[in-house]
Amino acid sequence: MKELLFIFNPRAGKAKIKNRLFEIIDIFVKAGYEVTVYPTQQEGDACRAVRERRDGFDLLVCGGGDGTLDEVVNGMVKGKTRLPIGYIPAGSTNDFAGSLGIPKDMLLAAQSIVEGRDYACDIGAFNEECFVYIAAFGLFTDVSYETSQEVKNLLGHVAYILEGMKRLSSIRCYPMKVRYEDEKGEEVSIQDELIFGMVTNSVSVGGFKRITGKYVELDDGRFEVTLIKKPANPLELNAVITALLSSHINSEYMYCFKASRIRFEAEEEIPWTTDGEFGGCHRAVRVENLKQAVKIRIPAK
């Protein structure tokens, strides 16, 4: 019999995964899997459970939000062997699941895991850690990890917008040097005052589609990078936000490019977020695309 390790966050989203738990497990058992279930208790549990798992599992499934998936992927990359990962989205936004076409309905997601195919997907190296689909700093990026789980459960990603609106009057800018190789292999250097930056491998962020640009491929070995310059006045800030939400890149206010490796150097330590969780404060950050590093189970079609 095949063996499946099912790791889930019982508090993710509105804790609704607990209400469907037996039905999810039943789908796995009917597909011929012997299921081991592990509910996470605190931050870091999912990563540790993956790294310390015993031998013999054929498939690993995680249920929760993007943060839970982030932990599972980190545990998989740092572990001794890599298994296909099934994902049952149960968080507030579930950006990455949407990018992969994984159903929002948890039972349909579970069914697609047992009937689907493996997709070799890029992930990111962020200094010594990994991220699944986004690393970001600056404007609004602390909202996701400073907003309580209870508020997220109540309001969904409206919570991010409500929290973010409180901060418009106190936008910080960061003098920064950014270096990367362009498509011709030539090094490009940017030095500017930035209020926001994101390195992404997703078609949506915070529930907003196409905010990362057009022609996004999740397995091409390249990230989509967006850096926003310091606006001179509120009108410029509004123009920036409008451009982002409408996917119209405005080079007057932002830098947008694709790259496999990016280095950020700041004058002070800057707080980063990775997959919606606090990624630490850093003066120097190295981001590298790990092309097709993990296999994610996606629907067959």
Side-chain angles (χ1 to χ4, degrees):
M1 180 177 283
K2 297 175 292 184
E3 293 197 58
L4 182 155
L5 175 59
F6 179 32
I7 299 171
F8 75 98
N9 178 358
R11 296 180 66 245
K14 297 180 180 178
K16 55 190 176 184
I17 192 170
K18 292 191 292 186
N19 298 328
R20 313 309 295 269
L21 190 59
F22 292 112
E23 293 169 281
I24 291 169
I25 294 172
D26 189 56
I27 289 171
F28 296 151
V29 172
K30 281 184 167 62
Y33 287 98
E34 181 179 318
V35 182
T36 300
V37 180
Y38 182 87
T40 61
Q41 305 298 309
Q42 59 189 359
E43 184 179 348
D45 268 3
C47 183
R48 184 166 51 253
V50 175
R51 291 183 65 180
E52 297 177 359
R53 72 185 187 279
R54 61 173 173 79
D55 295 333
F57 288 107
D58 302 283
L59 177 63
L60 193 151
V61 176
C62 73
D66 293 328
T68 306
L69 179 63
D70 177 281
E71 284 198 26
V72 166
V73 168
N74 265 280
M76 188 69 73
V77 171
K78 296 173 183 178
K80 50 190 175 180
T81 57
R82 298 187 187 180
L83 300 176
I85 299 172
Y87 182 33
I88 298 177
S92 301
T93 53
N94 307 306
D95 285 307
F96 195 64
S99 297
L100 290 171
I102 295 172
K104 293 180 180 179
D105 181 276
M106 287 184 286
L107 298 186
L108 292 178
Q111 199 66 46
S112 72
I113 289 171
V114 299
E115 296 176 351
R117 61 185 177 89
D118 293 336
Y119 175 75
C121 186
D122 299 346
I123 60 169
F126 180 90
N127 288 346
E128 305 306 319
E129 300 297 319
C130 294
F131 65 95
V132 177
Y133 76 99
I134 183 171
F137 68 87
L139 186 67
F140 296 172
T141 54
D142 59 348
V143 173
S144 59
Y145 59 80
E146 287 190 354
T147 303
S148 70
Q149 185 67 59
E150 288 73 20
V151 173
K152 289 181 187 179
N153 290 350
L154 180 63
L155 299 176
H157 59 254
V158 174
Y160 303 131
I161 297 171
L162 292 176
E163 285 293 316
M165 290 300 289
K166 300 175 185 177
R167 301 159 190 266
L168 284 175
S169 61
S170 57
I171 295 172
R172 293 187 62 187
C173 68
Y174 305 96
M176 186 176 288
K177 185 174 184 179
V178 182
R179 292 180 290 173
Y180 69 97
E181 286 187 1
D182 63 15
E183 295 180 9
K184 299 177 182 178
E186 298 177 356
E187 183 172 289
V188 178
S189 181
I190 296 170
Q191 193 148 2
D192 211 331
E193 290 185 308
L194 306 174
I195 63 167
F196 173 80
M198 64 178 177
V199 181
T200 63
N201 191 44
S202 174
V203 299
S204 70
V205 171
F208 296 103
K209 291 186 176 181
R210 301 299 175 189
I211 198 173
T212 60
K214 300 177 181 178
Y215 312 115
V216 175
E217 300 290 341
L218 306 185
D219 61 351
D220 63 355
R222 295 191 299 168
F223 292 119
E224 285 68 41
V225 184
T226 301
L227 309 173
I228 299 179
K229 307 174 189 179
K230 177 185 176 182
N233 52 59
L235 288 177
E236 286 193 3
L237 178 61
N238 287 337
V240 167
I241 294 174
T242 300
L244 280 174
L245 297 182
S246 61
S247 301
H248 292 144
I249 303 307
N250 190 327
S251 59
E252 183 180 353
Y253 306 123
M254 62 185 77
Y255 303 94
C256 297
F257 54 90
K258 293 177 181 282
S260 298
R261 287 178 292 276
I262 313 101
R263 183 172 179 85
F264 299 85
E265 296 173 357
E267 295 180 359
E268 59 181 300
E269 288 196 338
I270 294 176
W272 283 73
T273 177
T274 53
D275 297 330
E277 304 296 329
F278 183 52
C281 294
H282 309 273
R283 285 186 63 187
V285 167
R286 302 180 313 277
V287 178
E288 181 177 355
N289 188 292
L290 305 180
K291 185 176 182 180
Q292 301 179 10
V294 296
K295 291 181 179 179
I296 306 290
R297 188 66 59 86
I298 65 173
K301 294 183 180 180

